[in-house]
Structure formats: C-alpha cells, structure tokens
Amino acid sequence: MNMIKIEILTAIDNASYLQKKEIADFLFSHLDKYGDPHADIMKCLDYALDQSLDKGGFVVSAREDDHLLGAVVVNKTGMSGYIPENILVYIAVDQAQRGKGIGKKLMQAAIETATGDIALHVEPNNPAKKLYEDLGFTNKYLEMRLKK
C-alpha cells in the first residue's frame, strides 16, 4: 500500500469546477443512505470554497496516488459564540477503505484546520458516531427541524 496523503483545499486554492465535481461525485457515491442530491453537494462545495467574506470553509481529502479515498467538507457558519463557527457538512470514505483509520485522519485534519468550534449532525445509528465521540464531540442538544 502506498502512502495516504491528506490534502486541504480552501478558497485561496481557486478550485476548478472539475476539482469540485470530482469531490462531489465521490461524496455522492460514498455517502450511502446519509447522502444528498449531487446538486446540493455541489452547492455545499461552492459555499465552502467561495472567496466571499460571508461564506467559506474547506475540504479535506485523502488520496493514495491519484485515487480519492475520502473527503470532508466543512462550511463556516458566520456565527460565533451562540452557534459553532463551523459545521461539518459531509464526510465519506470509500467503502473498500473503511476501517483503516482514514476517517479518523480526515477528522483530525479537519479539527486542526478549523478556526473555532465545529458542529455536525449524525444519526443515532450511524457507525461514525463513535468516531466523533472518540474525537471529543458531545451531544449537547437534540436537533429539531420544521420542514416547510
């Protein structure tokens, strides 16, 4: 097995459409039942990698050679104190690579990269919940949503 390389992509990197599409395609394929439509994933990436002052975030990816093994997308919330400054929107690891610590490496890099607190949403039966708890995430609130 070759060396796994962790890469950070921010607005400063001026990601191309093809770079964003590669990440969106990967997330769409590997998020399984926790995924969203491809167009929504692209909107999230556009937000994360936007250079506007009211947007931003970053993408952390894991690669082996040129093969994408995992990705995390974190968006800035534009809030501080009363709401965490960042929200982890997507994380996925290639199904064939799960259980090898790639998700943990991605999360550790995301935590190191983020300025401020990070929130995330996880379903109670998602196996990644234990990883988040091991990394220090706590469940302070029950999220409720009104769908209109």
Side-chain angles (χ1 to χ4, degrees):
M1 182 177 206
N2 294 326
M3 183 83 149
I4 294 174
K5 183 178 176 189
I6 301 295
E7 300 174 345
I8 312 291
L9 188 62
T10 68
I12 295 168
D13 298 306
N14 272 332
S16 70
Y17 170 79
L18 290 178
Q19 285 174 295
K20 290 188 260 189
K21 185 177 180 317
E22 177 194 24
I23 295 163
D25 290 349
F26 176 87
L27 290 168
F28 184 75
S29 295
H30 295 283
L31 282 168
D32 302 326
K33 64 183 176 183
Y34 305 108
D36 288 325
H38 194 278
D40 291 347
I41 297 170
M42 283 297 287
K43 284 183 207 172
C44 177
L45 286 165
D46 286 341
Y47 185 99
L49 300 174
D50 193 294
Q51 294 181 343
S52 301
L53 291 176
D54 63 336
K55 296 181 182 172
F58 57 90
V59 175
V60 181
S61 61
R63 293 183 181 274
E64 185 177 46
D65 298 322
D66 284 331
H67 183 68
L68 191 56
L69 302 179
V72 173
V73 181
V74 175
N75 284 350
K76 291 181 182 176
T77 65
M79 300 173 221
S80 180
Y82 58 99
I83 298 286
E85 292 87 348
N86 304 278
I87 184 162
L88 188 149
V89 185
Y90 296 115
I91 179 170
V93 174
D94 185 314
Q95 289 98 329
Q97 301 296 322
R98 293 182 185 162
K100 298 180 180 179
I102 295 170
K104 184 174 184 178
K105 286 180 184 175
L106 287 167
M107 285 299 300
Q108 288 169 327
I111 291 166
E112 290 172 18
T113 302
T115 302
D117 295 340
I118 304 171
L120 60 81
H121 297 109
V122 61
E123 294 182 25
N125 61 343
N126 187 326
K129 183 176 180 265
K130 178 160 177 18
L131 168 63
Y132 305 142
E133 291 168 342
D134 289 348
L135 290 169
F137 285 83
T138 59
N139 183 11
K140 186 176 177 184
Y141 302 105
L142 173 65
E143 177 184 302
M144 299 175 74
R145 291 186 181 186
L146 173 66
K147 290 269 195 182
K148 293 177 76 175

